Amino acid sequence: MIYIMHFYRIFVFFCIMAHELTHRIYDFLKEFPPFHFLSKEEILHLASQSTVKYLQKEDILFSIGDLPPQRFYIVKEGAIHLFQSNGDLVETCDEGDVFGIRPLLAHSPYLLTAKAGEETLLYAITTKDFLPLIEKYPKISLFLATNFAVGVGNKYYHKNHQSSNEISENVLTEVVSIDTRIKPVTVDPAITIQEAAQIMVEKGVGSVVICDPDEKPIGIVTDKDLRTKVVAGDIRKKENVTLIMTSPVKCAPPNQSYTQLQMMMLRHRISHVVITEDGSTESKIVGVVSEHDLVVQQTDSPALLLKTILKSDNEKQLSAIRSKIEILIQKWLKQEVSIHFVSQVVSTLNDEIIKRVLYLSEENLGRETYRKMDYCWLALGSEGREEQLLKTDQDNAVIYTNNPNIPNQKELLINLAKEVNRMLFEIGFEYCPAEMMASNPLWCQSVEEWQQTFEKWIFQPGEKEIMMCTIFFDFRPVYGNKSLADSLSQYIFELLDKQKVFLHFLAKNALQNPPPLSFFRNVIVEKNGEHKDSFDIKLRAMMPLVDAARLMILEKKLSGINNTGERYQALAKSDPANAEVLYLAADAYEILIRIRTLFGLRQKNSGRYIQPEEMDKMSKLLLRNAFQPIDDIQKIIKIRFQV
Amino acid sequence: MIWNGFKNFFGQPQKDWATWYNEYQKTYHPPDKNVLLSTLSYVVLDTETTGLDLKTDQIITLGAVRIQNQEIPVHNVLSCSIRQNILHKQDAVSIHGLVQTEKKGVPAHEALAMFFAYIQSDIIIGHHIGFDVKMIEKTSLHHGGGTIKNLIIDTSFLAKRLDNPMNPNSLDGKNYSLDVLCKRFDIVTKDRHTALGDAFLTALLFIKLIHLFEKKGIKTLKQLL
């Protein structure tokens, strides 16, 4: 009860639809994903239909197998713990975290039990009002997909796999230009399937749009329809084309951004979007954009960069190219292009730079001398794993076949390596502080010497030897005779066969850094030194996944796969029992690279140390979700290698 | 105003209740006192008034939230302003430079109709609720209604009972204001000063108090009262 002074009575209050309680909830919701994507009116509506729920510590909100009511939750205050049936804590949700939404989208019972870790206040949001918004805002489905991606592993995500792992706050302005000079291939609904197929072959297109006389799109037939419905299916070629068309077609207006179109394709699981004058099926067709067109458009610039690399004559030109690559990375990360694609393109370009540097160095020092030699330039560490998105330290080595005709071969190769290291430094790749570079005589060795080195490491594994192995096992041939690297791999597998206990040591090493369990409550940050109060994403999150992947790859003797994400993919295929966890680990690693790269680009360094307070809620969420697979993978290793 | 009350009190026979009060009376049924506290339905109430004098002051706004299954549904709240009939127009102009030309809010009898339809048979909760109830009943009597039949529980009394079950009224009232109790029970008091805002805070306080009573083994209305 509030006492109002007498003369205030002239202020007359009236009934308001959106009352202060709604506004209070609105003020909270608007700060957190996925609500912050919505308009004020939409959030107010959700708030007005919400329910406030209070839980005491230990209160159970829902249990595994319960059918979800038509609502999901966001934590206002306190913390909710989500448990698996075996009692393992999967996730802790605290202020601003959304949970309990997956079963509503998948129409399935709860897979986890939710229990209050402390006194907790929740807002329950009705699904009925929220579902239409998922349709309206692709970013929400993306957010939800990534939210389920790791930790609370879910199939929903894998369907959207290409949709990548982080939502950029930036407005994406890049517009896909539709070349309207080229008329889209349209056909009459009266023709047969065979006729449509012939038109596609003649015009060299992957799709035809079936249009009415006013050029309004009725349906679309793609080459995939022909393959699945006619060739592999039981529809005959003489039938009417409308029998196999997809109708109605998904349309968009001209001048859509790359991301908008990509999202549209992902969301509707389609490969073609028809562009019409006003974006509806009720206006004239302007063009057709396929998934392939989008890919071509985005790979256009790397192709150009590649050409320029091959034409470069000095480190200055190469340095300029490397800077352009960085801009490209930044652009792609903002466009939510999958990390897998980005790393592939970037390591290809990096490799080309290294190859060009080697070529130029050979020229500078006397090409004739080096042409007689049988050697191979190896990339190590993250470059070896094709995960080097930013300019980090250079780690490299040389392996060569002893040639009795060239007595000073090692010396010549070291000279070459010095020149290469110097040029790479000029281009922007820092020298390795531990001198793990081919110019170091220790890492410029003949085949026999390398064999002895690995033999020593594997048969007398001390702390230092194990560490060397973690760096050198990820070698990848970049330039020269690649078969030297391949036979070294084979030799290593043979050694490991003889010395099985070595993997046990490697396993121990891989378990050195357990993942932080809760990043929010107890932020694991560096206690002292230059990086005080920041989170070492490399040591605490990425290395454990990298080490685990390498270990399991060595155990399975899968050579030639260096990329950590690809390693987990390969492992998942060869180990169906643990496939789910292994796929999640692959996803988690992608997320980690993305976060690290974004931080690195922002801070203009390697991005290794990140400041939790500078992360937005979304990145924090993604980061925390990435910890769970680390824990799961480490559990598998503990059992398998009996550590 | 006084004339209205006079007319209501003497001029109309008791049986001719206002329709809204009749509806309320017909459907009202007392709660089962053996049912668990956590399963009962409550209406948490707060009013804003022009002052503390029962005779001369009036209700400006009525705010109420419902507690069902330990939850507060945001779409099921009552927030209603009553149109003020007495206007000190000249004072208002001289003090604020405003002229009260349009009348906002709903007439008192409409507000009462909404209120009685809202409370149904739920138990009424409030902080120092006695005064609010008296103000509503006074207004109700003026407009052809009657008293509130619902069970009424004061959260300040509950908090005192929790601390001193034997002699709750011996405790110093200033330690049991809504502000002090919210602080004590970790309830964020963001937008006080509105009836609905305060009703919401009181509702959170009440839910927390009920949990504490449950821990002490007091689980039904019968045990609580």
Side-chain angles (χ1 to χ4, degrees), chain B residues 116-183:
Chain B
F116 279 101
Y118 182 76
I119 60 172
Q120 299 167 20
S121 300
D122 290 353
I123 299 157
I124 292 183
I125 310 292
H127 208 70
H128 301 306
I129 185 73
F131 179 76
D132 304 76
V133 165
K134 278 181 198 147
M135 286 298 285
I136 293 168
E137 287 184 336
K138 178 191 87 162
T139 319
S140 172
L141 287 169
H142 279 311
H143 291 89
T147 54
I148 295 171
K149 296 176 178 300
N150 303 45
L151 207 61
I152 289 158
I153 299 176
D154 187 341
T155 38
S156 75
F157 178 76
L158 281 188
K160 285 181 189 168
R161 236 203 90 179
L162 198 68
D163 290 347
N164 188 347
M166 302 314 286
N167 196 2
N169 286 325
S170 69
L171 294 165
D172 186 351
K174 76 170 193 286
N175 295 330
Y176 294 88
S177 70
L178 189 55
D179 270 326
V180 171
L181 288 172
C182 280
K183 200 168 262 180

Side-chain angles (χ1 to χ4, degrees), chain A residues 242-253:
Chain A
T242 52
L243 210 63
I244 60 163
M245 73 179 182
T246 305
S247 178
V249 287
K250 298 287 174 213
C251 295

